[in-house]
mmCIF file of all heavy atoms in Angstrom:
data_model
loop_
_atom_site.group_PDB
_atom_site.id
_atom_site.type_symbol
_atom_site.label_atom_id
_atom_site.label_comp_id
_atom_site.label_asym_id
_atom_site.label_seq_id
_atom_site.Cartn_x
_atom_site.Cartn_y
_atom_site.Cartn_z
ATOM 1 N N ASP A 466 -102.513 34.001 -17.996
ATOM 2 C CA ASP A 466 -102.085 34.570 -19.198
ATOM 3 C C ASP A 466 -100.719 35.173 -19.199
ATOM 4 O O ASP A 466 -99.948 35.200 -20.143
ATOM 5 C CB ASP A 466 -103.096 35.665 -19.613
ATOM 6 C CG ASP A 466 -104.468 35.123 -19.933
ATOM 7 O OD1 ASP A 466 -104.501 33.918 -20.273
ATOM 8 O OD2 ASP A 466 -105.496 35.894 -19.783
ATOM 9 N N GLU A 467 -100.243 35.569 -17.935
ATOM 10 C CA GLU A 467 -98.927 36.150 -17.832
ATOM 11 C C GLU A 467 -97.801 35.230 -17.387
ATOM 12 O O GLU A 467 -96.661 35.494 -17.496
ATOM 13 C CB GLU A 467 -99.073 37.397 -16.800
ATOM 14 C CG GLU A 467 -99.956 38.431 -17.305
ATOM 15 C CD GLU A 467 -100.182 39.594 -16.311
ATOM 16 O OE1 GLU A 467 -99.459 39.449 -15.237
ATOM 17 O OE2 GLU A 467 -100.873 40.488 -16.635
ATOM 18 N N ALA A 468 -98.167 34.060 -16.760
ATOM 19 C CA ALA A 468 -97.137 33.143 -16.203
ATOM 20 C C ALA A 468 -96.469 32.392 -17.324
ATOM 21 O O ALA A 468 -97.078 32.015 -18.324
ATOM 22 C CB ALA A 468 -97.831 32.111 -15.202
ATOM 23 N N ALA A 469 -95.218 32.104 -17.131
ATOM 24 C CA ALA A 469 -94.308 31.347 -18.137
ATOM 25 C C ALA A 469 -94.778 29.890 -18.170
ATOM 26 O O ALA A 469 -94.991 29.329 -17.107
ATOM 27 C CB ALA A 469 -92.807 31.489 -17.859
ATOM 28 N N PRO A 470 -94.825 29.310 -19.280
ATOM 29 C CA PRO A 470 -95.235 27.876 -19.311
ATOM 30 C C PRO A 470 -94.225 27.073 -18.714
ATOM 31 O O PRO A 470 -92.939 27.346 -18.728
ATOM 32 C CB PRO A 470 -95.349 27.673 -20.909
ATOM 33 C CG PRO A 470 -94.465 28.732 -21.523
ATOM 34 C CD PRO A 470 -94.539 29.817 -20.639
ATOM 35 N N GLU A 471 -94.608 26.098 -18.074
ATOM 36 C CA GLU A 471 -93.661 25.125 -17.405
ATOM 37 C C GLU A 471 -92.992 24.253 -18.410
ATOM 38 O O GLU A 471 -93.580 23.823 -19.321
ATOM 39 C CB GLU A 471 -94.421 24.193 -16.466
ATOM 40 C CG GLU A 471 -95.043 25.040 -15.324
ATOM 41 C CD GLU A 471 -95.829 24.054 -14.250
ATOM 42 O OE1 GLU A 471 -95.808 22.857 -14.530
ATOM 43 O OE2 GLU A 471 -96.340 24.571 -13.329
ATOM 44 N N ARG A 472 -91.535 24.036 -18.171
ATOM 45 C CA ARG A 472 -90.677 23.175 -19.101
ATOM 46 C C ARG A 472 -90.700 21.808 -18.556
ATOM 47 O O ARG A 472 -90.688 21.529 -17.400
ATOM 48 C CB ARG A 472 -89.182 23.731 -19.061
ATOM 49 C CG ARG A 472 -89.199 25.109 -19.688
ATOM 50 C CD ARG A 472 -87.753 25.504 -19.745
ATOM 51 N NE ARG A 472 -87.612 26.860 -20.303
ATOM 52 C CZ ARG A 472 -86.481 27.496 -20.422
ATOM 53 N NH1 ARG A 472 -85.324 26.885 -20.020
ATOM 54 N NH2 ARG A 472 -86.426 28.672 -20.942
ATOM 55 N N PRO A 473 -90.760 20.859 -19.524
ATOM 56 C CA PRO A 473 -90.672 19.465 -19.056
ATOM 57 C C PRO A 473 -89.347 19.139 -18.442
ATOM 58 O O PRO A 473 -88.255 19.747 -18.824
ATOM 59 C CB PRO A 473 -90.867 18.622 -20.370
ATOM 60 C CG PRO A 473 -90.428 19.537 -21.469
ATOM 61 C CD PRO A 473 -90.769 20.975 -20.893
ATOM 62 N N PRO A 474 -89.293 18.228 -17.462
ATOM 63 C CA PRO A 474 -88.015 17.892 -16.835
ATOM 64 C C PRO A 474 -86.924 17.333 -17.799
ATOM 65 O O PRO A 474 -87.306 16.533 -18.582
ATOM 66 C CB PRO A 474 -88.393 16.861 -15.742
ATOM 67 C CG PRO A 474 -89.640 16.295 -16.303
ATOM 68 C CD PRO A 474 -90.368 17.418 -16.990
ATOM 69 N N GLN A 475 -85.755 17.810 -17.689
ATOM 70 C CA GLN A 475 -84.653 17.375 -18.509
ATOM 71 C C GLN A 475 -83.893 16.194 -17.959
ATOM 72 O O GLN A 475 -83.603 16.250 -16.733
ATOM 73 C CB GLN A 475 -83.673 18.415 -18.850
ATOM 74 C CG GLN A 475 -84.247 19.695 -19.677
ATOM 75 C CD GLN A 475 -84.696 19.292 -21.018
ATOM 76 O OE1 GLN A 475 -84.045 18.430 -21.643
ATOM 77 N NE2 GLN A 475 -85.800 19.885 -21.477
ATOM 78 N N PRO A 476 -83.480 15.226 -18.690
ATOM 79 C CA PRO A 476 -82.698 14.136 -18.066
ATOM 80 C C PRO A 476 -81.301 14.631 -17.710
ATOM 81 O O PRO A 476 -80.782 15.451 -18.486
ATOM 82 C CB PRO A 476 -82.582 13.129 -19.199
ATOM 83 C CG PRO A 476 -82.925 13.850 -20.422
ATOM 84 C CD PRO A 476 -83.768 15.049 -20.057
ATOM 85 N N HIS A 477 -80.828 14.161 -16.587
ATOM 86 C CA HIS A 477 -79.522 14.591 -16.053
ATOM 87 C C HIS A 477 -78.428 13.880 -16.875
ATOM 88 O O HIS A 477 -78.513 12.680 -17.091
ATOM 89 C CB HIS A 477 -79.352 14.310 -14.592
ATOM 90 C CG HIS A 477 -80.341 15.090 -13.718
ATOM 91 N ND1 HIS A 477 -80.074 16.434 -13.486
ATOM 92 C CD2 HIS A 477 -81.464 14.737 -13.134
ATOM 93 C CE1 HIS A 477 -81.092 16.880 -12.660
ATOM 94 N NE2 HIS A 477 -81.943 15.804 -12.470
ATOM 95 N N ALA A 478 -77.340 14.720 -17.271
ATOM 96 C CA ALA A 478 -76.177 14.199 -17.986
ATOM 97 C C ALA A 478 -75.390 13.259 -17.041
ATOM 98 O O ALA A 478 -75.141 13.814 -15.860
ATOM 99 C CB ALA A 478 -75.301 15.273 -18.513
ATOM 100 N N PRO A 479 -74.925 12.128 -17.463
ATOM 101 C CA PRO A 479 -74.078 11.274 -16.476
ATOM 102 C C PRO A 479 -72.815 12.047 -16.135
ATOM 103 O O PRO A 479 -72.162 12.612 -16.978
ATOM 104 C CB PRO A 479 -73.787 10.043 -17.340
ATOM 105 C CG PRO A 479 -73.936 10.436 -18.815
ATOM 106 C CD PRO A 479 -75.035 11.479 -18.792
ATOM 107 N N SER A 480 -72.543 12.001 -14.899
ATOM 108 C CA SER A 480 -71.308 12.592 -14.424
ATOM 109 C C SER A 480 -70.104 11.783 -14.703
ATOM 110 O O SER A 480 -70.184 10.529 -14.681
ATOM 111 C CB SER A 480 -71.368 12.912 -12.921
ATOM 112 O OG SER A 480 -71.616 11.673 -12.244
ATOM 113 N N ALA A 481 -68.932 12.457 -14.936
ATOM 114 C CA ALA A 481 -67.677 11.611 -15.197
ATOM 115 C C ALA A 481 -67.210 10.914 -14.002
ATOM 116 O O ALA A 481 -67.305 11.444 -12.923
ATOM 117 C CB ALA A 481 -66.579 12.629 -15.641
ATOM 118 N N PRO A 482 -66.946 9.760 -14.123
ATOM 119 C CA PRO A 482 -66.471 8.951 -13.005
ATOM 120 C C PRO A 482 -65.266 9.434 -12.466
ATOM 121 O O PRO A 482 -64.355 9.791 -13.187
ATOM 122 C CB PRO A 482 -66.286 7.533 -13.529
ATOM 123 C CG PRO A 482 -66.025 7.732 -15.087
ATOM 124 C CD PRO A 482 -66.871 8.904 -15.438
ATOM 125 N N GLY A 483 -65.132 9.592 -11.232
ATOM 126 C CA GLY A 483 -63.963 10.151 -10.557
ATOM 127 C C GLY A 483 -63.010 9.082 -10.285
ATOM 128 O O GLY A 483 -63.191 7.878 -10.694
ATOM 129 N N PRO A 484 -61.809 9.386 -9.782
ATOM 130 C CA PRO A 484 -60.739 8.396 -9.584
ATOM 131 C C PRO A 484 -61.144 7.393 -8.578
ATOM 132 O O PRO A 484 -61.785 7.634 -7.596
ATOM 133 C CB PRO A 484 -59.528 9.250 -9.018
ATOM 134 C CG PRO A 484 -60.187 10.534 -8.476
ATOM 135 C CD PRO A 484 -61.436 10.742 -9.367
ATOM 136 N N GLY A 485 -60.720 6.182 -8.872
ATOM 137 C CA GLY A 485 -61.027 5.008 -8.031
ATOM 138 C C GLY A 485 -62.423 4.537 -8.189
ATOM 139 O O GLY A 485 -62.940 3.705 -7.353
ATOM 140 N N ARG A 486 -63.099 4.979 -9.265
ATOM 141 C CA ARG A 486 -64.488 4.472 -9.485
ATOM 142 C C ARG A 486 -64.584 3.529 -10.628
ATOM 143 O O ARG A 486 -65.513 3.490 -11.432
ATOM 144 C CB ARG A 486 -65.470 5.633 -9.629
ATOM 145 C CG ARG A 486 -65.497 6.576 -8.446
ATOM 146 C CD ARG A 486 -66.569 7.615 -8.600
ATOM 147 N NE ARG A 486 -66.649 8.472 -7.508
ATOM 148 C CZ ARG A 486 -67.446 9.573 -7.425
ATOM 149 N NH1 ARG A 486 -68.229 9.847 -8.450
ATOM 150 N NH2 ARG A 486 -67.493 10.308 -6.350
#
Side-chain angles (χ1 to χ4, degrees):
D466 294 337
E467 299 179 0
E471 295 183 1
R472 297 180 180 179
Q475 299 292 329
H477 294 285
S480 58
R486 298 184 181 180

